[in-house]
Coordinates of all heavy atoms in Angstrom, one line a residue:
L104 N 188.0 87.3 131.4 CA 188.1 87.3 130.0 C 189.2 86.3 129.5 O 189.0 85.6 128.5 CB 188.5 88.8 129.5 CG 187.5 89.8 129.6 CD1 187.9 91.2 129.2 CD2 186.2 89.4 128.8
R115 N 198.8 83.1 121.5 CA 198.8 84.4 122.2 C 198.4 85.6 121.3 O 197.7 86.5 121.8 CB 200.3 84.6 122.7 CG 200.4 85.5 123.9 CD 201.8 85.7 124.3 NE 202.2 84.6 125.2 CZ 203.4 84.6 125.9 NH1 204.2 85.6 125.7 NH2 203.7 83.6 126.7
K116 N 198.8 85.6 120.1 CA 198.5 86.7 119.2 C 197.0 86.8 119.0 O 196.5 87.9 119.1 CB 199.3 86.4 117.9 CG 200.0 87.6 117.3 CD 200.9 87.3 116.2 CE 200.5 88.1 114.9 NZ 201.3 87.6 113.7
E117 N 196.4 85.7 118.7 CA 194.9 85.7 118.5 C 194.2 86.2 119.7 O 193.2 86.9 119.7 CB 194.4 84.3 118.1 CG 194.8 83.9 116.6 CD 196.1 83.2 116.6 OE1 196.9 83.2 117.5 OE2 196.4 82.7 115.5
N118 N 194.7 85.7 120.9 CA 194.0 86.1 122.1 C 194.2 87.6 122.4 O 193.2 88.2 122.8 CB 194.7 85.3 123.3 CG 194.3 83.9 123.3 OD1 193.3 83.5 122.6 ND2 194.9 83.1 124.1
A119 N 195.4 88.1 122.1 CA 195.6 89.6 122.3 C 194.6 90.4 121.4 O 194.0 91.4 121.8 CB 197.0 89.9 122.1
A120 N 194.5 89.9 120.1 CA 193.6 90.6 119.2 C 192.2 90.5 119.7 O 191.4 91.5 119.6 CB 193.7 89.9 117.8
A121 N 191.8 89.3 120.2 CA 190.4 89.2 120.7 C 190.1 90.1 121.9 O 189.1 90.7 122.0 CB 190.1 87.7 121.1
L122 N 191.1 90.2 122.8 CA 191.0 91.1 124.0 C 190.9 92.5 123.5 O 190.0 93.3 124.1 CB 192.2 90.9 124.9 CG 192.1 91.6 126.2 CD1 190.9 91.1 127.0 CD2 193.4 91.4 127.0
A123 N 191.7 92.9 122.5 CA 191.6 94.3 122.1 C 190.2 94.6 121.5 O 189.6 95.6 121.8 CB 192.7 94.5 121.0
R124 N 189.7 93.6 120.8 CA 188.3 93.8 120.2 C 187.3 93.9 121.3 O 186.3 94.7 121.3 CB 188.0 92.6 119.3 CG 186.6 92.4 118.9 CD 186.4 93.1 117.5 NE 185.1 93.0 117.1 CZ 184.2 94.0 117.0 NH1 184.6 95.2 117.2 NH2 183.0 93.8 116.6
V125 N 187.4 93.1 122.4 CA 186.4 93.1 123.5 C 186.5 94.5 124.2 O 185.5 95.1 124.5 CB 186.7 92.0 124.4 CG1 185.9 92.1 125.7 CG2 186.3 90.6 123.8
H126 N 187.7 95.0 124.4 CA 187.9 96.2 125.1 C 187.4 97.4 124.2 O 186.9 98.4 124.8 CB 189.4 96.4 125.4 CG 189.8 95.7 126.6 ND1 191.1 95.5 126.9 CD2 189.1 95.0 127.5 CE1 191.2 94.7 128.0 NE2 190.0 94.4 128.4
E127 N 187.5 97.2 122.9 CA 186.9 98.2 122.0 C 185.4 98.3 122.1 O 184.8 99.3 122.1 CB 187.4 97.9 120.6 CG 187.1 98.9 119.5 CD 187.5 98.3 118.2 OE1 188.6 97.7 118.1 OE2 186.7 98.4 117.2
L128 N 184.8 97.1 122.1 CA 183.3 97.0 122.3 C 182.8 97.5 123.6 O 181.8 98.1 123.8 CB 182.8 95.5 122.1 CG 182.7 95.0 120.7 CD1 182.4 93.5 120.7 CD2 181.5 95.7 119.9
F129 N 183.6 97.1 124.7 CA 183.2 97.4 126.1 C 184.4 98.1 126.8 O 185.1 97.4 127.6 CB 182.8 96.1 126.8 CG 181.7 95.3 126.1 CD1 182.0 94.0 125.6 CD2 180.4 95.8 126.1 CE1 181.0 93.3 125.1 CE2 179.4 95.0 125.5 CZ 179.7 93.8 125.0
P130 N 184.6 99.3 126.6 CA 185.7 100.0 127.2 C 185.7 99.9 128.8 O 186.8 99.8 129.4 CB 185.5 101.5 126.9 CG 184.7 101.5 125.6 CD 183.8 100.3 125.7
L132 N 185.3 97.3 130.5 CA 186.0 96.1 130.9 C 187.5 96.3 130.9 O 188.2 95.6 131.7 CB 185.6 94.9 129.9 CG 184.1 94.5 129.9 CD1 183.9 93.3 129.0 CD2 183.6 94.3 131.3
A133 N 188.0 97.2 130.2 CA 189.4 97.6 130.2 C 189.7 98.4 131.5 O 190.6 98.2 132.2 CB 189.8 98.3 129.0
G154 N 181.7 89.5 126.6 CA 183.1 89.6 126.3 C 183.9 88.3 126.5 O 184.7 87.9 125.6
L157 N 183.2 86.1 123.6 CA 183.9 86.6 122.4 C 185.4 86.2 122.4 O 186.0 86.1 121.3 CB 183.8 88.1 122.2 CG 182.4 88.6 121.9 CD1 182.4 90.1 121.8 CD2 181.9 88.0 120.6
M158 N 186.0 86.0 123.6 CA 187.4 85.7 123.7 C 187.7 84.3 123.1 O 188.8 84.0 122.7 CB 187.8 85.6 125.1 CG 188.0 87.0 125.8 SD 189.1 88.1 125.0 CE 190.7 87.2 125.4
R160 N 186.4 83.5 120.2 CA 186.3 83.8 118.8 C 185.2 82.9 118.2 O 185.5 82.1 117.2 CB 187.6 83.7 118.1 CG 188.6 84.7 118.5 CD 189.9 84.6 117.7 NE 190.6 83.3 117.9 CZ 191.3 83.0 119.0 NH1 191.4 83.9 120.1 NH2 191.9 81.9 119.1

Side-chain angles (χ1 to χ4, degrees):
L104 290 178
R115 202 180 276 190
K116 226 169 124 186
E117 286 87 349
N118 289 347
L122 186 62
R124 168 92 180 114
V125 168
H126 283 168
E127 190 186 315
L128 278 171
F129 305 113
L132 299 183
L157 291 177
M158 289 299 292
R160 295 184 295 285

